[in-house]
Amino acid sequence: MRKELLAVFSGFPEHHFSGEITKRLRAELIERRSIVFITACPLDYEQNDDDCDGMYQMFAEHGLSFEKHCVIDKRTEPEMAKELVQNADCIFLMGGGACEDQLNLISEKGCYEALIDCHAAIFGVSAGSMNMARKTVDFFESIEAFDGLGLTNITVSCHHDPEDTWRYEQTLRMSEGRTVYAMEDMSAFFIKRGRIDVVGTIYKAKDRQLKELTGEDIKELEQDEFRRVFDTIPDQFDKFRPRYSEELFTYLNTEAGIGPGKRVLEIGPGTGQATEPVLRTGCEYYAIELGQHLCSMMKEKYSELPNFNIVNDDFITHDFGDMKFDMIYSAATIQWIPETVAFTKTFDLLKPGGTLAMMLTSADYKSANEVLYTKIQKLYDRYYKPDIQYTHGKFRYTAAPEYGYTEVTRREFKGQRVFSADEYVAFCGTHSDHVVIPEPLRTEFFDGLRKAVLDAGNRIVFNDTYVLYITKKP
């Protein structure tokens, strides 16, 4: 997601924003040249025009007027629809109709890619909110989950009312095997750079158990959204994230016996930092990548190769069917997955004798210039205050035998990177916990880092250790 802000609304029965929602909108909607509404009732032109004007007035009455407002429905020509989406400052997915009708309209008008790539704030209400999720469930259409737009992993049920017994029961049905967030009207999720703020009353429903959303639930959701932060910076990620040594891959491919006829799965390849040395062995390569933009970049690089396959989905929930692999590997990714899920699911997906390989980079910039290192540490002490704490460093790579694997072996390989001041700041901007440092601290922090490296001769050296953990399924 490149979006600065997502807002998931349930409904506004009085056709007005609440004071709390208005306050957030005023803080976020600085640029207000164009707002585009996308209908969930593609053929109801008169209603669409009325709803478009009515929703616009909800903004205008609070001093949030836009220079232009319009609605995309069946009348809109595809090229015009794409242009409207590309140039919008705010896109509002409307409700009042069927989820799949809205999704089909977006597809028919060729707006999906434009919607995913635009930098607008994206809001949804009712059916529009439900469609923002990776998985959508609409009990008016089907209790089975279907693919939404994938803007968030938060699956919602709107217009929740504890007194409405039929709707209450449908929400419980929706929660069988998945987590659903039941939203009362006038409630909202605001999602920005992995941070989630909640307005109003929202319930968490899972396995037919429903309880009001807690602070701990929100933290859990934030950690899930945090995994998607990398997708906001695909070009920067591709250019500056570290690669791994050829020596490492020579050892890995030999140890795992990878080549033609072998099936390999890479978890979370990003933009291919650890892909090509495995792909070029001629193996049957598969990848699963959570980020939509990262996945698109992978396709641009490798889709012409006959042995390349990738799916844009979440490893935690993806159904691989009866597929089995000779090797599963991850480069600085598996630690984002809960340990129990990571080891049990990879174990089930591997063939007997198959290899699980986990790699990461340990970077040392102290030994090359201790004075610069000390300056940078002082900047971290002053400015490193991310909105969301990174909690994924506790993954136990050597715990694999507790889940049925053989003993884990560890190998180390060496490398080096040299950055200019601008390159170093761009690299720091690819760390998820750096992306979510709030302004103005983030700008001050990065300016300080840039100056420190400039003062050191515009050069910072990283002596890297590439760590490889290998284990096998008996």
Side-chain angles (χ1 to χ4, degrees), residues 22 38 42-43 74 81 153 166 196 263 305 392 425 466:
T22 300
I38 301 179
L43 294 171
K74 203 77 170 180
N153 271 354
W166 181 82
I196 297 176
R263 181 179 288 175
L305 298 176
H392 299 281
V425 169
Y466 308 117

Side-chain angles (χ1 to χ4, degrees), residues 137 178 255:
V137 182
R178 68 180 62 84
E255 180 71 15

Side-chain angles (χ1 to χ4, degrees), residues 244-309:
Y244 296 80
S245 70
E246 284 289 331
E247 185 184 4
L248 181 154
F249 285 105
T250 298
Y251 173 82
L252 173 60
N253 289 329
T254 300
E255 180 71 15
I258 300 305
K262 299 294 185 178
R263 181 179 288 175
V264 175
L265 173 67
E266 182 177 5
I267 303 172
T271 57
Q273 283 68 23
T275 296
E276 197 164 325
V278 174
L279 185 61
R280 70 181 179 218
T281 66
C283 69
E284 189 179 344
Y285 172 92
Y286 288 81
I288 182 162
E289 171 54 54
L290 178 65
Q292 293 166 310
H293 297 103
L294 301 178
C295 184
S296 294
M297 190 169 287
M298 285 286 287
K299 289 179 179 178
E300 289 174 11
K301 288 183 177 182
Y302 303 120
S303 62
E304 292 184 1
L305 298 176
N307 62 323
F308 174 79
N309 305 275

Side-chain angles (χ1 to χ4, degrees), residues 61-76:
E61 70 180 2
H62 293 294
L64 293 169
S65 297
F66 288 76
E67 294 174 18
K68 299 177 182 178
H69 70 281
C70 64
V71 64
I72 293 175
D73 59 18
K74 203 77 170 180
R75 296 170 294 182
T76 314

Side-chain angles (χ1 to χ4, degrees), residues 120-181:
I122 298 184
F123 301 164
V125 64
S126 192
S129 285
M130 297 164 74
N131 279 337
M132 292 173 74
R134 178 174 292 276
K135 291 296 182 182
T136 297
V137 182
D138 183 352
F139 49 69
F140 286 106
E141 299 176 48
S142 170
I143 204 67
E144 295 299 321
F146 53 90
D147 290 339
L149 295 170
L151 304 179
T152 173
N153 271 354
I154 300 176
T155 297
V156 300
S157 170
C158 296
H159 315 298
H160 181 73
D161 180 354
E163 302 301 318
D164 186 336
T165 55
W166 181 82
R167 186 180 293 273
Y168 189 96
E169 174 59 28
Q170 301 313 306
T171 299
L172 295 183
R173 288 181 61 207
M174 288 171 63
S175 75
E176 295 174 359
R178 68 180 62 84
T179 302
V180 176
Y181 296 89

Side-chain angles (χ1 to χ4, degrees), residues 240 365-366 368-380 417-429 444-462:
F240 293 106
Y365 60 94
K366 181 178 180 179
N369 190 332
E370 193 163 345
V371 173
L372 175 58
Y373 172 84
T374 300
K375 286 184 178 180
I376 289 175
Q377 292 311 299
K378 289 180 179 178
L379 290 168
Y380 271 88
R417 290 171 292 157
V418 180
F419 292 135
S420 69
D422 286 340
E423 290 170 340
Y424 173 60
V425 169
F427 164 65
C428 290
E444 293 172 5
F445 181 37
F446 283 5
D447 286 347
L449 294 175
R450 182 180 289 104
K451 185 178 185 306
V453 177
L454 283 171
D455 291 346
N458 198 24
R459 186 173 186 268
I460 184 169
V461 177
F462 282 78

